């Protein structure tokens, strides 16, 4: 026996003691893998997990080195090193060895670089862990850093930087880092780009790269986590064999900085920033000492909980309610508070508020209210009952934590091993255990005007933003808080509307959560619970995960919800207003571990709820009662505020990345009953308060049908009570609705179409192309052959187009299923090449890959097939993941809950010749394939380069350019009705 469990009375989670090492570790009650902690002679510490039932094995190496250690003259070197470790080692010199092995055996891999950590990780089909670990270990033993790879990968880092230029969070962070002390690593540019990495010349960069690796990649700074089917003894032997070769450096590297993080001279800085997207923000940041060492107390979590609260009496509630000095309109639409950055040398606490135009005019009054709330917290003192609520909720959350994917578990563990002692590696990030009011008060005292860094963000500041940040391009100006304003904020009286929240009725306790009695014969798949003309509902009682949780999903459908752009927009407005009314108790339920989210699309309104089985039904009763009766509660001023917020969000779609723009245009072209962003924005601007009152009064008095799925720790009888309550509230009429059938454009054999457009954001330097090959309607054989092609091509596409040809950082390929129609796509985003060149390269790649495919050996083909079968048969490790899969079957009215099992069985019959013939017909043969190319041209690549119907610049033959998307869609044939024949169609 390799481990013993202790579930003593009052114990949070359970304690597992490894009999091999006598080390005890606290883990969730749902934890069914055995951990072991070991330290190798070279100083590397590892955590091993044995799970004999695992479908996937995984590993993660966390190195306590990051961009903090970048040389001052080569910013981004740590990030560049992360890229380079994947590109060949002495033992495996081929740059594709690692990725090829992963692809063949159903693996995935990635890495990230942070300020104080670089994390490398992978997962793979369980039997192939040893081979993957051997390849992985060589990263840290003998990487090659070849000159050719160094030269090429600098371009990859540069493309990644170009992709991130429009990222709002990065732009804002770089401004905050300007307030750091000169000389501190946090003050530097971190990602790197061609300019920084080539500033000293290629040879100098390569030498610096090797020197950086040899100095800092010391095993004493590494934490390894490995999960596999093998026993703990076998895993330990494997890790010792493969990772003992990592050389200990002659001198342990010093990774601390002698320079204080934030400069006291820059406290009180005020930035006026021009954002990329529409919308206004008021953001306040406070530097404070590090908090990681107080993980059992979590003082900033207590503060963030209160400052970010949304119930009556909260800062947010005061900012949003119409009160006399706010001229009857709210100032804010959202508020987030808590730790923004947590490091070993500092913490930055944040209060981030999205404000209305009226709020922007009163931005200093908003900041005053923030400090009034902080003053109120100081006056009432730290409250034991609030800490106790947070403590009890953390115990429930930790004890019944969903089982993590192997890759997520190993990543989390490797990173946490740097921060927590062995006993608390798993519970340290979650549990609040020690009540220390003095510590909370100590950190509360850092939240003062004098120490604040304030960002005001709005497009309206373009006239005063006279400076441009060098690396991310944010336009801003910076001033200092006046002594008068600081004095005012320090002396403003606390408004009477600010007070502590009430106790939370939605909180569960360990004592209230019990497992339901299971039926004698547990059901493997969901079964039909209720079916009539208006309602179809399925139920599944959990016997696998045995956690006290429920997932309940409902789809409400009426033709009123989507029949025109106006109706679609009214539906979204209706849901937004309902959420606004529900906000206080929805928020209270969320901080208690429940959720009730809404999805509005062509399928209607979906209500997706999740939570603990003792309280979720209360939340659902409130939600559906309010949906049916909310019309009289709507307020015109709230409507006006929400309408403006929706307009800003719609307008901000124009700033999304080119690959996303291509995807949206694809749906505009190919989907019947699909309204474009422009159509919905125009409809939104025209909607009045009278329109929404009319709509709300009729929505649930017209015919509505409901589709539902209830899964988890709940019996059939309890589920029936829930669905009957739903039916009573939203299905008052007996007549079922007639459903609009959403269909998909059918391309004909030999089609070669291209739709070019110019990116609506002239500041984005990236262009993109989406190359789509239509396969046809879903069917068992079609599904598995399309999957097989996607599986075979994925890594090769990434390596060829991204790494070898260096087209751009963003390269994707895979399955595209829209409205029951299968397709295969490749998309590439580039700041270097225009979409015509990208299209040519993709076209050449799919032709070249045909030859590669024909050359695959029978042995390799069988390996690829086996890994795809294993992927389809992989167990769902959490109730939520299982629900996602089954809800997809219910929402699409297929009810094929064993779909993946059938596909896996059919895959065993697939031959290489079948895949080659399929690929030839649908991807290569120009007389048979059905191809659509969507091209997004950046301003950099000039609108003039975008091909027109009579253009000669495009590689496509004449007459294939789509000039008018609406005319194209209106004149094209559509696929048959498929599954959407009746509201409750069932095979």
């Amino acid at each position: 026996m390799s481990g013993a469990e202790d579930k003593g009375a009052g114990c949070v989670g359970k304690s597992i003691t490894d009999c091999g090492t006598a080390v005890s570790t606290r883990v969730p009650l749902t934890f069914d893998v055995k951990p072991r902690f070991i330290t190798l002679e070279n100083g590397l510490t590892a955590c091993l997990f044995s799970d004999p039932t695992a479908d996937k094995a995984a590993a993660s190496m966390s190195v306590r080195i990051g961009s903090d250690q970048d040389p001052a003259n080569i910013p981004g070197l740590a990030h560049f090193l992360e890229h380079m470790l994947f590109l060949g080692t002495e033992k495996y010199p081929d740059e594709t060895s690692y990725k090829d092995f992963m692809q063949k055996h159903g693996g995935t891999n990635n890495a990230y670089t942070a300020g104080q950590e670089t994390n490398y990780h992978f997962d793979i089909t369980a039997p192939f862990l040893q081979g993957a670990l051997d390849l992985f270990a060589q990263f840290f033993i003998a990487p090659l850093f070849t000159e050719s790879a160094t030269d090429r990968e600098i371009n990859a880092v540069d493309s990644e930087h170009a992709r991130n230029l429009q990222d709002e969070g990065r732009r804002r962070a770089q401004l905050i880092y300007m307030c750091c002390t000169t000389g501190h690593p946090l003050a530097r540019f971190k990602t790197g780009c061609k300019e920084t990495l080539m500033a000293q010349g290629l040879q100098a960069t390569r030498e610096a790269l090797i020197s950086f690796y040899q100095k800092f990649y010391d095993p004493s700074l590494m934490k390894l986590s490995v999960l596999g089917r093998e026993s703990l003894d076998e895993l330990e032997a494997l890790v010792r064999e493969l990772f003992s070769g990592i050389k200990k450096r002659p001198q342990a590297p010093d990774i601390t900085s002698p320079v204080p993080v934030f400069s006291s001279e820059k406290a009180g800085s005020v930035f006026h920033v021009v954002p990329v997207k529409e919308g206004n923000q008021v953001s306040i940041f406070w530097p404070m000492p590090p908090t990681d060492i107080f993980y059992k107390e979590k003082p900033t979590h207590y503060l963030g909980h209160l400052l970010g609260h949304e119930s009556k009496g909260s800062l947010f509630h005061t900012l949003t309610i119409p009160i006399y000095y706010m001229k009857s309109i709210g100032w804010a639409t959202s508020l987030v508070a808590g730790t923004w950055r947590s490091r070993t040398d500092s913490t930055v606490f944040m209060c981030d508020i999205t404000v209305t135009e009226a709020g922007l005019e009163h931005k200093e009054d908003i900041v005053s209210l923030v400090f009034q709330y902080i003053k109120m917290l100081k006056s009432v003192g730290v409250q034991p009952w609030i800490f106790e609520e947070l403590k009890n909720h953390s115990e429930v959350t930790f004890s019944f934590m969903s089982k993590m994917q192997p890759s997520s578990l190993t990543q989390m563990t490797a990173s946490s091993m740097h921060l927590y002692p062995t006993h608390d590696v798993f519970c340290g990030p979650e549990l609040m255990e020690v009540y220390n009011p003095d510590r909370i008060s100590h950190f509360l005292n850092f939240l003062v005007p004098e120490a604040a860094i304030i960002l005001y963000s709005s497009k309206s500041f373009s006239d005063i933003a006279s400076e441009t940040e060098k690396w991310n391009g944010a336009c801003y100006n910076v001033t200092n808080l006046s002594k008068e304003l600081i004095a005012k904020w320090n002396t403003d009286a606390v408004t009477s509307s600010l007070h502590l929240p009430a106790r939370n009725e939605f909180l569960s306790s360990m004592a209230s959560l019990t497992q339901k009695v299971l039926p004698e014969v547990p059901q493997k798949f969901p079964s039909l619970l209720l079916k009539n003309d208006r309602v179809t509902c399925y139920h599944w009682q959990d016997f696998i995960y045995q956690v006290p949780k429920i997932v309940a999903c409902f789809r409400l459908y009426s033709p009123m919800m989507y029949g025109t752009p106006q109706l679609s927009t009214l539906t979204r407005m209706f849901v937004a207003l309902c959420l606004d009314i529900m906000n206080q108790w929805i928020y209270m339920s969320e901080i208690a571990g429940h959720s009730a989210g809404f999805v509005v699309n062509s399928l209607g309104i979906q209500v997706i709820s999740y939570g603990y089985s003792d309280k979720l039904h209360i939340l659902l009763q409130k939600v559906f009662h309010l949906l049916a009766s909310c019309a009289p509660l709507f307020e015109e001023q709230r409507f006006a505020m929400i309408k403006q917020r929706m307009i800003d969000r719609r307008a901000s779609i124009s700033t999304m990345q080119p690959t996303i723009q291509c995807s949206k245009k694809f749906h505009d072209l190919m989907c019947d009953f699909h309204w474009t962003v422009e159509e919905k924005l125009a409809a939104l601007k025209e909607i009045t308060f009278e329109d929404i009152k009319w709509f709300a009064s009729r929505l649930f008095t017209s015919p509505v049908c409901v589709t539902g799925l209830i899964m988890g720790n709940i019996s059939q009888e309890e589920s029936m009570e829930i669905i009957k309550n739903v039916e009573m509230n939203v299905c008052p009429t007996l007549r079922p609705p007639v459903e609009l059938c959403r269909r998909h454009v059918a391309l004909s054999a030999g089609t070669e179409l291209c739709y070019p457009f110019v990116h609506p954001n002239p500041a984005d330097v990236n262009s993109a192309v989406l190359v789509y090959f239509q396969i046809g309607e879903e069917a068992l054989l079609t599904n598995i052959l399309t999957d097989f092609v996607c599986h075979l091509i994925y890594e090769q596409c990434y390596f060829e187009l991204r790494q070898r040809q260096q087209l751009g950082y963003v390269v994707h390929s895979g399955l595209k299923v829209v409205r029951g129609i299968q397709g295969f796509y490749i998309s590439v985003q580039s700041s270097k090449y225009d979409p015509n060149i990208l299209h040519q390269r993709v076209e050449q790649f799919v032709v070249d890959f045909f030859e590669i495919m024909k050359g695959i050996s029978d042995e390799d083909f069988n390996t690829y097939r086996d890994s795809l079968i294993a992927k389809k048969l992989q167990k769902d490790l959490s109730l939520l993941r299982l629900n996602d899969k089954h809800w997809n079957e219910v929402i699409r009215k297929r009810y094929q809950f064993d779909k993946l099992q059938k596909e896996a069985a059919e895959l065993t019959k697939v031959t290489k010749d079948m895949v080659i013939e399929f690929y030839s017909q649908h991807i290569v043969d120009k007389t048979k394939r059905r191809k659509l190319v969507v091209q997004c041209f950046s301003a950099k690549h000039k609108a003039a380069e975008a091909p027109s119907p009579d253009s000669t610049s495009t590689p496509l033959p004449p007459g294939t350019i789509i000039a008018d998307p609406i005319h194209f869609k209106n004149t094209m044939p559509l696929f048959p009705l498929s599954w959407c024949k009746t509201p409750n169609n069932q095979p």
Side-chain angles (χ1 to χ4, degrees):
M1 182 176 179
S2 54
E5 295 183 6
D6 176 16
K7 300 182 185 179
C11 178
V12 178
K14 61 186 178 183
S15 184
I16 294 181
T17 302
D18 174 31
C19 296
T21 61
V23 174
S24 178
T25 309
R26 285 190 297 174
V27 299
L29 294 174
T30 53
F31 216 72
D32 56 3
V33 295
K34 301 182 179 72
R36 172 179 292 179
F37 291 86
I38 62 171
T39 301
L40 307 190
E41 289 186 7
N42 58 12
L44 181 145
T45 303
C47 177
L48 316 175
F49 298 101
S50 174
D51 183 0
T53 67
D55 296 318
K56 282 286 191 83
S60 175
M61 178 74 88
S62 174
V63 188
R64 197 60 166 164
I65 292 296
S67 57
D68 276 14
Q69 281 68 48
D70 283 345
N73 63 338
I74 313 181
L77 190 65
H79 179 216
F80 182 46
L81 173 59
E82 171 223 303
H83 279 239
M84 290 297 297
L85 287 194
F86 289 86
L87 302 179
T89 61
E90 288 182 9
K91 185 174 182 180
Y92 301 102
D94 191 327
E95 290 182 17
T96 66
S97 295
Y98 180 66
K99 289 188 177 293
D100 284 350
F101 190 87
M102 291 291 161
Q103 182 192 11
K104 282 183 181 178
H105 302 295
T108 62
N109 62 93
N110 213 331
Y112 64 81
T113 302
Q116 297 184 309
E117 180 200 13
T118 306
N119 189 294
Y120 305 83
H121 44 270
F122 73 83
D123 66 14
I124 196 155
T125 306
F128 302 97
L129 173 63
Q130 182 170 350
L133 265 186
D134 187 19
L135 284 154
F136 186 66
Q138 294 303 310
F139 290 6
F140 312 100
I141 296 173
L144 287 179
F145 302 125
T146 64
E147 289 187 25
S148 61
T150 303
D151 190 20
R152 279 186 284 105
E153 205 59 24
I154 285 174
N155 291 322
V157 173
D158 195 59
S159 294
E160 183 177 356
H161 173 61
R163 181 201 64 172
N164 294 332
L165 286 175
Q166 300 296 300
D167 186 293
E168 211 80 81
R170 290 175 182 269
R171 293 161 74 97
R172 185 167 68 166
Q174 201 64 39
L175 295 177
I176 298 299
Y177 297 149
M178 289 171 58
C179 296
C180 293
T181 306
T182 302
H184 192 278
L186 209 56
R188 296 196 290 262
F189 175 49
K190 298 160 190 61
T191 307
C193 60
K194 196 164 188 175
E195 178 184 344
T196 64
L197 295 174
M198 289 293 284
Q200 312 299 316
L202 180 63
Q203 186 58 35
T205 297
R206 183 170 179 267
E207 290 173 0
L209 190 71
I210 294 169
S211 175
F212 186 97
Y213 176 83
Q214 291 175 343
K215 178 180 180 181
F216 290 114
Y217 270 54
D218 186 273
S220 66
L221 298 177
M222 296 179 181
K223 306 295 182 185
L224 175 68
S225 181
V226 180
L227 183 149
R229 287 179 179 174
E230 295 80 358
S231 69
L232 287 174
D233 290 341
E234 290 169 330
L235 287 172
E236 179 174 349
L238 185 61
V239 166
R240 289 188 182 279
E241 175 190 351
L242 297 178
F243 290 87
S244 292
I246 303 176
K247 295 178 182 177
K248 190 173 181 63
R249 305 318 185 217
Q251 183 176 354
D254 182 7
I255 59 173
T256 61
S257 173
V259 181
V261 183
F262 284 91
S263 168
S264 58
E265 296 176 359
K266 295 180 182 178
S269 293
V270 180
F271 291 85
H272 289 77
V273 187
V274 180
V276 173
K277 300 178 181 180
E278 296 292 337
N280 310 309
Q281 300 283 133
V282 173
S283 307
I284 312 171
F285 299 85
W286 293 274
M288 54 178 60
T291 56
D292 286 346
I293 56 175
F294 308 120
Y295 67 89
K296 292 189 176 184
E297 303 167 17
K298 294 185 172 55
T300 54
H301 181 65
Y302 177 97
L303 299 177
H305 169 72
L306 292 175
L307 202 55
H309 219 282
E310 297 185 12
S311 66
K312 187 175 181 181
S314 67
L315 171 62
F316 178 72
H317 184 252
T318 299
L319 287 168
T320 54
I321 59 173
I323 54 181
Y324 70 96
Y325 63 87
M326 294 183 185
K327 298 182 181 178
S328 297
I329 192 165
W331 285 353
T333 59
S334 69
L335 186 153
V336 177
T339 300
W340 180 66
R341 292 287 188 273
S342 180
R343 296 166 46 90
T344 57
D345 56 5
S346 65
T347 295
V348 180
F349 192 87
M350 172 195 73
C351 181
D352 191 26
I353 308 167
T354 303
V355 303
T356 61
E357 291 297 326
L360 188 66
E361 293 176 6
H362 293 270
K363 56 185 182 296
E364 292 179 355
D365 295 320
I366 288 175
V367 178
S368 174
L369 280 169
V370 173
F371 286 113
Q372 288 176 46
Y373 191 85
I374 292 168
K375 193 179 299 182
M376 182 274 295
L377 292 181
K378 291 177 179 178
S379 68
V380 299
V382 179
Q383 300 291 305
W385 71 267
I386 293 177
F387 183 88
E388 195 64 22
E389 279 197 347
L390 294 172
K391 176 177 179 289
N392 291 341
H393 178 56
S394 75
E395 292 173 355
V396 171
T397 302
F398 175 70
S399 294
F400 299 111
M401 185 183 295
S402 296
K403 186 173 180 180
M404 301 171 72
Q405 293 294 320
S407 59
S408 299
L409 176 60
T410 51
Q411 280 182 63
M412 182 275 291
T413 303
S415 295
S416 292
M417 288 165 69
H418 291 296
L419 301 174
Y420 308 103
T422 300
H423 185 64
D424 293 335
V425 162
F426 305 108
C427 67
E430 301 296 332
L431 291 180
M432 293 181 71
E433 300 183 275
V434 178
Y435 177 57
N436 188 337
D438 291 339
R439 187 90 63 203
I440 296 171
S441 296
H442 172 71
F443 281 95
L444 179 60
N445 287 331
F446 285 96
L447 307 185
V448 294
E450 294 86 347
I453 300 167
I454 300 175
L455 265 70
Y456 298 128
S457 178
S458 172
K459 292 276 192 183
S460 64
F461 298 145
S462 56
D463 292 340
I464 63 172
S466 56
E467 300 183 62
T468 302
E469 192 278 318
K470 179 177 181 180
W471 299 114
N472 293 87
C475 295
Y476 70 98
N477 86 327
V478 59
T479 57
N480 293 317
L481 285 174
S482 67
K483 293 180 180 179
E484 293 76 17
L485 192 56
I486 291 174
K488 178 181 181 302
W489 287 343
N490 275 323
T491 57
D492 281 344
V494 177
T495 181
S496 60
S497 63
L498 296 173
H499 56 78
L500 293 174
R503 296 179 185 271
N504 194 338
E505 66 172 314
F506 291 101
L507 282 170
S508 301
S509 67
M510 295 291 290
S512 68
L513 295 170
T514 58
Q515 189 69 28
K516 305 294 180 184
V517 177
L518 292 173
E520 291 185 7
V521 182
Q523 26 179 127
K524 188 174 182 180
F525 300 113
S527 61
L528 189 62
L529 177 70
L530 175 65
K531 181 172 175 60
N532 56 40
D533 287 342
R534 298 168 299 165
V535 177
T536 299
C537 187
Y538 281 78
H539 164 264
W540 180 79
Q541 186 169 347
D542 171 30
F543 68 95
I544 298 173
Y545 310 104
Q546 298 192 40
V547 291
K549 296 179 180 179
I550 299 171
V551 189
C553 304
F554 306 94
R555 175 216 178 198
L556 318 179
Y557 178 78
S558 162
M560 280 190 69
M561 295 176 182
Y562 197 77
T564 67
Q566 292 74 23
L567 289 173
S568 171
T569 304
L570 282 165
T571 304
R572 289 183 181 275
M573 176 60 75
F574 170 79
V575 169
L577 285 166
C578 288
L579 279 171
D580 188 59
I581 294 168
M582 299 179 196
N583 181 69
Q584 289 188 43
W585 45 266
I586 286 280
Y587 177 80
M588 295 294 274
S589 72
E590 285 177 349
I591 60 177
H594 308 276
S595 66
F598 290 79
V599 177
V600 181
N601 55 26
S602 59
L603 291 170
I605 300 172
Q606 294 180 56
V607 182
I608 312 295
S609 62
Y610 174 69
Y612 294 103
S613 49
D614 63 333
K615 297 288 178 72
L616 187 64
H617 65 285
I618 300 173
L619 176 61
L620 287 171
Q621 286 173 1
K622 285 176 173 282
V623 166
F624 283 101
H625 174 72
L626 192 138
L627 279 175
S629 60
C630 64
L633 303 176
F634 290 170
E635 297 177 359
E636 189 164 4
Q637 64 267 30
R638 301 298 296 168
F639 163 80
M641 188 178 73
I642 290 169
K643 178 180 175 179
Q644 187 57 52
R645 182 178 67 193
M646 291 174 67
I647 288 173
D648 288 345
R649 287 178 178 174
R650 288 281 179 209
S652 293
I653 291 174
S654 65
T655 66
M656 290 181 174
Q657 290 195 13
T659 48
I660 299 175
Q661 301 288 347
C662 285
S663 181
K664 287 186 174 296
K665 295 297 183 184
F666 171 86
H667 284 83
D668 292 347
L669 290 164
M670 300 296 285
C671 297
D672 188 29
F673 277 109
H674 170 84
W675 317 123
T676 67
V677 172
E678 294 77 16
E679 288 173 319
K680 288 186 281 191
L681 182 57
L684 178 58
K685 290 179 178 178
E686 296 298 319
I687 287 176
T688 67
F689 186 57
E690 293 303 315
D691 292 334
I692 194 64
K693 286 200 299 182
W694 171 87
F695 180 83
S697 66
R698 285 163 176 76
L699 180 58
F700 292 117
T701 58
S702 64
V704 174
C705 68
V706 177
T707 305
L709 173 64
I710 303 172
M711 300 179 62
N713 184 40
I714 185 169
S715 66
Q716 285 192 348
E717 294 76 17
E718 291 166 320
S719 297
M720 186 65 80
E721 289 181 16
I722 289 176
I723 191 61
K724 284 292 186 182
N725 177 68
V726 174
E727 182 181 20
M728 177 186 68
N729 278 294
V730 299
C731 299
T733 64
L734 297 178
R735 180 165 54 92
V738 176
E739 183 160 0
L740 297 171
C741 290
R742 310 165 312 115
R743 297 162 69 185
H744 194 282
V745 167
L747 303 179
S748 57
T751 296
E752 299 272 342
L753 296 169
C754 179
Y755 178 63
F757 67 99
V758 179
H759 196 304
N761 179 15
D764 199 318
V765 299
N766 296 285
S767 292
V769 67
L770 184 152
V771 182
Y772 167 79
F773 301 90
Q774 191 172 82
I775 307 299
E777 294 180 84
E778 289 185 287
L780 181 58
L781 185 58
T782 301
N783 292 354
I784 61 175
L785 289 173
T786 308
D787 282 348
F788 211 130
V789 167
C790 295
H791 183 60
L792 284 174
I793 208 170
Y794 178 79
E795 285 294 347
Q796 188 66 31
C797 177
Y798 180 87
F799 173 76
E800 177 63 26
L801 300 181
R802 182 193 176 278
Q803 288 189 217
R804 198 184 73 79
Q805 297 191 32
Q806 294 289 312
L807 297 186
Y809 182 75
V810 179
V811 174
H812 297 301
S813 67
L815 181 66
K816 198 172 190 70
V817 182
V818 181
R819 298 184 176 180
I821 305 304
Q822 293 262 23
F824 168 75
Y825 81 97
I826 295 176
S827 65
V828 183
Q829 180 172 300
S830 175
S831 60
K832 185 176 181 181
Y833 298 105
D834 73 61
N836 288 326
I837 295 174
L838 298 178
H839 173 209
Q840 289 172 326
R841 298 288 184 88
V842 170
E843 174 65 23
Q844 188 60 52
F845 167 73
V846 297
V847 172
D848 293 344
F849 186 75
F850 188 44
E851 299 304 315
I852 294 174
M853 182 184 290
K854 289 189 287 188
I856 294 174
S857 68
D858 290 343
E859 181 182 358
D860 282 347
F861 179 86
N862 291 337
T863 299
Y864 284 122
R865 183 178 60 190
D866 291 346
S867 69
L868 184 56
I869 290 171
K871 182 179 180 181
K872 288 186 177 292
L873 295 178
Q874 188 176 337
K875 294 186 292 292
D876 298 288
L877 297 183
S878 71
L879 179 62
L880 275 174
R881 288 180 67 91
L882 182 64
N883 175 81
D884 287 345
K885 185 168 68 178
H886 290 334
W887 179 237
N888 188 50
E889 292 299 311
V890 172
I891 201 78
R892 298 179 66 183
K893 301 179 183 176
R894 295 187 311 195
Y895 310 105
Q896 297 175 22
F897 301 119
D898 60 348
K899 175 177 175 284
L900 294 180
Q901 288 82 352
K902 289 178 178 177
E903 290 180 353
E906 191 69 17
L907 265 169
T908 61
K909 307 171 189 176
V910 170
T911 65
K912 179 180 169 182
D913 289 341
M914 291 168 65
V915 178
I916 290 172
E917 172 58 29
F918 182 84
Y919 188 88
S920 173
Q921 176 185 344
H922 294 289
I923 311 296
V924 177
D925 189 336
K926 293 185 179 181
T927 66
K928 296 179 180 178
R929 70 183 186 181
R930 297 173 284 181
K931 177 181 171 185
L932 170 66
V933 181
V934 183
Q935 297 177 313
C936 178
F937 283 77
S938 68
K940 173 184 175 181
H941 292 131
K942 300 178 185 178
E945 294 182 26
S948 59
D950 57 355
S951 170
T952 58
S953 65
T954 173
L956 292 170
T960 60
I961 304 300
I962 299 172
D964 183 346
I966 296 176
H967 176 75
F968 166 79
K969 187 161 61 174
N970 290 342
T971 56
M972 290 294 290
L974 302 173
F975 277 97
L977 300 182
S978 185
W979 55 272
C980 58
K981 294 175 183 175
T982 64
N984 288 306
N985 178 51
Q986 205 177 345

